[in-house]
Amino acid sequence: MATGRTHRPATRSRGIPEATVARLPLYLRALTALSERSVPTVSSEELAAAAGVNSAKLRKDFSYLGSYGTRGVGYDVEYLVYQISRELGLTQDWPVVIVGIGNLGAALANYGGFSARGFRVAALIDADPAMAGKPVAGMPVQHTDDLEKIISENGVSIGVIATPAGAAQQVSERLIAAGVTSILNFAPTVLSVPDGVDVRKVDLSIELQILAFHEQRKAGEEAAAAGSADADADGAPDAGAGAPDGAGAGTGAAPAAALMPPAGRAAAAAARKGGPDGDVPAVMPA
Amino acid sequence: MATGRTHRPATRSRGIPEATVARLPLYLRALTALSERSVPTVSSEELAAAAGVNSAKLRKDFSYLGSYGTRGVGYDVEYLVYQISRELGLTQDWPVVIVGIGNLGAALANYGGFSARGFRVAALIDADPAMAGKPVAGMPVQHTDDLEKIISENGVSIGVIATPAGAAQQVSERLIAAGVTSILNFAPTVLSVPDGVDVRKVDLSIELQILAFHEQRKAGEEAAAAGSADADADGAPDAGAGAPDGAGAGTGAAPAAALMPPAGRAAAAAARKGGPDGDVPAVMPA
DNA sequence: ATGTCTTTGTGAACGCGTGCACAAAGATTG
DNA sequence: CAATCTTTGTGCACGCGTTCACAAAGACAT
Ligand SMILES: NC(=O)c1ccc[n+]([C@@H]2O[C@H](COP(=O)([O-])OP(=O)(O)OC[C@H]3O[C@@H](n4cnc5c(N)ncnc54)[C@H](O)[C@@H]3O)[C@@H](O)[C@H]2O)c1
Ligand SMILES: NC(=O)c1ccc[n+]([C@@H]2O[C@H](COP(=O)([O-])OP(=O)(O)OC[C@H]3O[C@@H](n4cnc5c(N)ncnc54)[C@H](O)[C@@H]3O)[C@@H](O)[C@H]2O)c1
């Protein structure tokens, strides 16, 4: 996920819970699809299924927006599309700049889903002089020197950062100084920004690591289940992925032992899914 | 953000809370940086600052892994790097396939951050016959026909979907049938998957919409504050930056407004940042 | 050893988010 | 108009996550 937003009491602002806000785009997408099929109304049950959420949750979410449904019937699709769009601020135009037009930045620039929802790529900015003027997605790349001018002249308040991690903080500072108050950061770094500026991050690496964690846990459970017959029931497969935990020098032991030998790793690895996967070196970042 | 995971009791699994798991990669990144600078130990305070979280939260997170710190001193960097890596399952090799080698897929394939953490791109798969054999990121693109074989032979359990939305569900089904149990989905669709399969999604459009919501709210508050004297007095650099907003591009073509009630739309638009227009309607979400 | 100082690990309180369950509201039918 | 059926809107309870605050643990100095 991309999470983010610098901490904030969240209170105040009479408004909608953060969790609900994060789901509104999901509802909107489902509703738009229904709208295109000229479906006039939907029940909370149907819409919830389409959006992949619980229907009670959906109704509660909508209740924060007001009472837009009709009991016994459901919600008017078109009306709800409008209400959610308005709530999200999509009834206005949001110029956006993308900074760092490399592999990812170029892909983003070419992405059609941008303009589909009221967002407009106002400019593409890169520090590489060789890129300046070069057209990407039918739009000339502009040099970082003009960043402030571009932000200011276009009234940009949302910036997307797709530069290398090392440049991200500095780029964010320039964007903010120029007037940007919302940043979507693709660089794998924690951005430090002043209050009042929202930052959301998208980090591929983190997503994969979270998946790997669950994958490992699943493999562990599988191994445990296979090992002790098949009487799973509710075994509560301890987190430590089984073996490796207890074995490794217990807690409180002298920490100085830098890298420990990957003990029971073999077990978990062997328990992997089907497929002749013999090797498995203990690859480790350092 | 990317959020996701199909619902799940979440409880059970004697283990680490989901929220903690999501932060471990963050800690790991900060620790890796310290490790590269040969810093031997860090306090929870320092590390928390580097990771952008609360120090109490960090300590509690680590407490789920065990007692790896030394009171009065802090945490041994190398040791912690190892423990977290092990917990996340990064001490083993995770082959990954990317399906849909278009703009985004190609960018992902070229991304170096993949292999940096134990993930290895095992194959690039696309349905376009014209792509087959073409090298992307030094690796020949393979055709979808061989998807099952590729998954099976490489023991792949993590798949990345970067196809158009329309193809995502079907692709996920093929991946799952072939043995994949974790999916990172970049297509803007809700994937329906069986229990036991983890799905995380990254949706640029949703992130932007969430930012737009907060941006709009900020603009509303600002307008309200400006209307009632200038009682703010809170350092804030006053994001406005004085852009000739209202006049220029502004809210050019009304996007979806053509629909139902033409109510507060004008007000919302007028409340955009900067514009020192006199009016100031107390823009408020209904 | 003893005392002081630093920092961890965690008990406890609190707030947010989720989901159940149901009364109320309105449509629909007779 | 009354009865019935459908679906919303929400009160309530529960569990997870966050944060505070502090006792205990250990390092370090004397
Ligand atoms: N490519 C991916 O799939 C992917 C996935 C996840 C995260 N990321 C992250 O996104 C960022 C970009 O990735 P990429 O693969 O496109 O890298 P890239 O090297 O292809 O592109 C980076 C671009 O940023 C430009 N740049 C460098 N410093 C700059 C500055 N100070 N101001 C403006 N532009 C600057 C460079 O000229 C280059 O064009 C990296 O931080 C990467 O870690 C990429
Ligand atoms: N480009 C971005 O920055 C971006 C950002 C967010 C989300 N997305 C989403 O990511 C997805 C890919 O975006 P893109 O810009 O790379 O699109 P694209 O059209 O450039 O690439 C899509 C690729 O998928 C391939 N494909 C189509 N059907 C397939 C199938 N059934 N099996 C395998 N491959 C198939 C196509 O041949 C093509 O190469 C889209 O769903 C898009 O909405 C893209």
Side-chain angles (χ1 to χ4, degrees):
Chain A
M1 99 187 207
T3 55
R5 307 198 57 209
T6 29
H7 39 228
R8 140 106 51 150
T11 39
R12 198 245 230 90
S13 143
R14 192 66 292 224
I16 298 127
E18 194 57 29
T20 295
V21 172
R23 280 188 294 267
L24 291 182
L26 225 51
Y27 302 143
L28 183 55
R29 183 194 295 156
L31 285 165
T32 303
L34 291 173
S35 173
E36 279 166 7
R37 283 194 286 136
S38 301
V39 177
T41 61
V42 297
S43 68
S44 63
E45 205 68 50
E46 295 168 326
L47 185 54
V53 304
N54 180 295
S55 71
K57 192 187 294 184
L58 177 144
R59 286 197 299 277
K60 179 146 294 188
D61 283 342
F62 286 173
S63 79
Y64 292 117
L65 307 185
S67 294
Y68 297 145
T70 304
R71 295 170 191 235
V73 175
Y75 299 89
D76 183 282
V77 173
E78 296 299 324
Y79 187 59
L80 204 44
V81 163
Y82 170 73
Q83 289 298 343
I84 294 179
S85 294
R86 188 174 57 78
E87 200 64 57
L88 286 172
L90 304 182
T91 49
Q92 64 184 276
D93 183 57
W94 293 106
V96 172
V97 295
I98 301 175
V99 184
I101 313 302
N103 286 313
L104 183 61
L108 295 175
N110 278 300
Y111 181 45
F114 253 113
S115 50
R117 293 244 183 284
F119 298 97
R120 180 172 50 83
V121 179
L124 306 179
I125 304 176
D126 200 289
D128 186 352
M131 294 284 299
K134 241 182 65 180
V136 170
M139 176 176 282
V141 174
Q142 298 183 263
H143 193 268
T144 334
D145 287 350
D146 300 324
L147 188 147
E148 285 75 13
K149 189 162 75 86
I150 296 167
I151 300 290
S152 168
E153 288 184 354
N154 292 83
V156 174
S157 51
I158 300 178
V160 176
I161 297 180
T163 66
Q169 177 63 39
Q170 195 192 349
V171 167
S172 76
E173 287 167 10
R174 286 186 66 181
L175 287 173
I176 293 166
V180 164
T181 48
S182 285
I183 292 176
L184 180 53
N185 181 31
F186 283 87
T189 328
V190 175
L191 292 184
S192 177
V193 302
D195 276 5
V197 175
D198 282 305
V199 175
R200 294 190 66 85
K201 65 171 185 294
V202 174
D203 193 320
L204 173 62
S205 179
I206 287 182
E207 298 305 321
L208 285 176
Q209 289 175 54
I210 294 173
L211 285 177
F213 172 84
H214 292 299
E215 202 58 40
Q216 187 186 41
R217 188 174 50 70
K218 276 184 276 189
E221 282 180 10
E222 195 177 297
S228 61
D230 61 336
D232 178 61
D234 188 274
D238 65 319
D245 200 76
T251 58
L259 299 184
M260 312 278 306
R265 196 82 312 276
R272 276 288 300 297
K273 295 211 39 48
D277 192 64
D279 53 89
V280 185
V283 169
M284 231 201 64
Chain B
M1 104 185 190
T3 55
R5 308 198 60 210
T6 30
H7 41 224
R8 138 108 51 151
T11 36
R12 195 256 231 83
S13 142
R14 198 70 292 240
I16 297 132
E18 193 57 30
T20 295
V21 172
R23 280 187 295 268
L24 290 182
L26 225 51
Y27 301 144
L28 183 55
R29 182 195 295 157
L31 284 165
T32 303
L34 290 173
S35 174
E36 279 166 6
R37 283 193 287 135
S38 300
V39 177
T41 61
V42 289
S43 66
S44 62
E45 205 69 52
E46 295 167 326
L47 185 54
V53 304
N54 181 297
S55 72
K57 192 187 295 184
L58 177 144
R59 286 199 298 278
K60 178 142 292 190
D61 282 342
F62 285 173
S63 78
Y64 293 116
L65 307 186
S67 294
Y68 297 145
T70 303
R71 295 171 191 235
V73 176
Y75 299 89
D76 182 282
V77 173
E78 296 298 325
Y79 187 61
L80 204 44
V81 163
Y82 170 73
Q83 290 298 343
I84 294 179
S85 293
R86 186 174 60 78
E87 201 64 56
L88 287 173
L90 304 182
T91 50
Q92 65 183 276
D93 183 57
W94 293 104
V96 173
V97 295
I98 302 176
V99 185
I101 313 302
N103 286 314
L104 182 61
L108 294 176
N110 278 300
Y111 181 46
F114 254 114
S115 50
R117 293 244 184 287
F119 298 97
R120 179 171 51 83
V121 179
L124 305 179
I125 303 176
D126 200 289
D128 187 352
M131 294 284 299
K134 241 182 68 180
V136 170
M139 177 177 281
V141 174
Q142 299 182 261
H143 193 267
T144 335
D145 287 349
D146 301 324
L147 188 146
E148 285 76 11
K149 189 161 76 83
I150 296 167
I151 301 290
S152 168
E153 288 184 354
N154 291 83
V156 175
S157 53
I158 301 178
V160 176
I161 296 180
T163 66
Q169 178 63 39
Q170 195 193 348
V171 167
S172 76
E173 288 167 10
R174 287 187 65 182
L175 287 173
I176 293 167
V180 164
T181 48
S182 284
I183 292 177
L184 181 53
N185 181 32
F186 283 87
T189 328
V190 176
L191 292 184
S192 176
V193 301
D195 277 5
V197 176
D198 282 306
V199 175
R200 294 190 67 84
K201 67 171 185 295
V202 173
D203 194 321
L204 173 62
S205 180
I206 287 181
E207 298 306 321
L208 285 176
Q209 289 176 53
I210 294 172
L211 285 177
F213 171 85
H214 292 298
E215 201 59 40
Q216 187 185 40
R217 188 175 50 70
K218 276 185 278 190
E221 283 180 9
E222 193 178 299
S228 61
D230 186 35
D232 186 88
D234 179 39
D238 189 39
D245 184 278
T251 62
L259 303 178
M260 302 283 290
R265 200 184 110 55
R272 271 294 298 296
K273 66 185 233 154
D277 302 341
D279 93 331
V280 187
V283 167
M284 223 200 69

mmCIF file of all heavy atoms in Angstrom, chain B residues 48 58 109 118 141 208 230 283 285:
data_model
loop_
_atom_site.group_PDB
_atom_site.id
_atom_site.type_symbol
_atom_site.label_atom_id
_atom_site.label_comp_id
_atom_site.label_asym_id
_atom_site.label_seq_id
_atom_site.Cartn_x
_atom_site.Cartn_y
_atom_site.Cartn_z
ATOM 1 N N ALA B 48 13.908 5.399 14.913
ATOM 2 C CA ALA B 48 12.530 5.818 14.662
ATOM 3 C C ALA B 48 12.514 7.080 13.809
ATOM 4 O O ALA B 48 11.719 7.201 12.879
ATOM 5 C CB ALA B 48 11.807 6.055 15.979
ATOM 6 N N LEU B 58 8.089 1.857 17.453
ATOM 7 C CA LEU B 58 9.201 1.046 16.980
ATOM 8 C C LEU B 58 9.609 0.017 18.028
ATOM 9 O O LEU B 58 9.809 -1.160 17.720
ATOM 10 C CB LEU B 58 10.383 1.951 16.635
ATOM 11 C CG LEU B 58 11.668 1.247 16.176
ATOM 12 C CD1 LEU B 58 12.354 2.066 15.098
ATOM 13 C CD2 LEU B 58 12.616 1.055 17.351
ATOM 14 N N ALA B 109 10.587 -4.039 -14.766
ATOM 15 C CA ALA B 109 11.639 -4.990 -15.125
ATOM 16 C C ALA B 109 13.022 -4.339 -15.032
ATOM 17 O O ALA B 109 13.998 -4.976 -14.654
ATOM 18 C CB ALA B 109 11.401 -5.513 -16.535
ATOM 19 N N GLY B 118 16.614 -9.642 -2.368
ATOM 20 C CA GLY B 118 16.292 -11.062 -2.400
ATOM 21 C C GLY B 118 15.240 -11.441 -3.423
ATOM 22 O O GLY B 118 14.891 -12.606 -3.543
ATOM 23 N N VAL B 141 11.363 -11.474 -23.428
ATOM 24 C CA VAL B 141 9.966 -11.551 -23.018
ATOM 25 C C VAL B 141 9.400 -12.878 -23.512
ATOM 26 O O VAL B 141 9.657 -13.289 -24.638
ATOM 27 C CB VAL B 141 9.147 -10.394 -23.639
ATOM 28 C CG1 VAL B 141 7.662 -10.576 -23.334
ATOM 29 C CG2 VAL B 141 9.648 -9.068 -23.105
ATOM 30 N N LEU B 208 -3.741 9.437 -5.956
ATOM 31 C CA LEU B 208 -3.956 10.826 -6.358
ATOM 32 C C LEU B 208 -5.306 11.341 -5.866
ATOM 33 O O LEU B 208 -5.425 12.483 -5.440
ATOM 34 C CB LEU B 208 -3.876 10.945 -7.884
ATOM 35 C CG LEU B 208 -2.476 10.873 -8.484
ATOM 36 C CD1 LEU B 208 -2.556 10.907 -10.001
ATOM 37 C CD2 LEU B 208 -1.621 12.038 -7.972
ATOM 38 N N ASP B 230 -7.392 36.793 10.371
ATOM 39 C CA ASP B 230 -6.192 35.987 10.149
ATOM 40 C C ASP B 230 -5.692 35.442 11.475
ATOM 41 O O ASP B 230 -4.629 35.771 11.957
ATOM 42 C CB ASP B 230 -5.117 36.849 9.496
ATOM 43 C CG ASP B 230 -3.909 35.995 9.128
ATOM 44 O OD1 ASP B 230 -4.106 34.830 8.755
ATOM 45 O OD2 ASP B 230 -2.795 36.514 9.233
ATOM 46 N N VAL B 283 -16.929 26.550 2.290
ATOM 47 C CA VAL B 283 -16.960 25.271 1.616
ATOM 48 C C VAL B 283 -16.996 24.119 2.610
ATOM 49 O O VAL B 283 -16.152 24.006 3.473
ATOM 50 C CB VAL B 283 -15.703 25.096 0.755
ATOM 51 C CG1 VAL B 283 -15.577 23.662 0.322
ATOM 52 C CG2 VAL B 283 -15.810 26.002 -0.441
ATOM 53 N N PRO B 285 -18.020 19.876 3.059
ATOM 54 C CA PRO B 285 -18.557 18.638 2.534
ATOM 55 C C PRO B 285 -19.951 18.428 3.088
ATOM 56 O O PRO B 285 -20.159 18.501 4.292
ATOM 57 C CB PRO B 285 -17.579 17.585 3.044
ATOM 58 C CG PRO B 285 -16.886 18.247 4.200
ATOM 59 C CD PRO B 285 -16.857 19.694 3.873
#
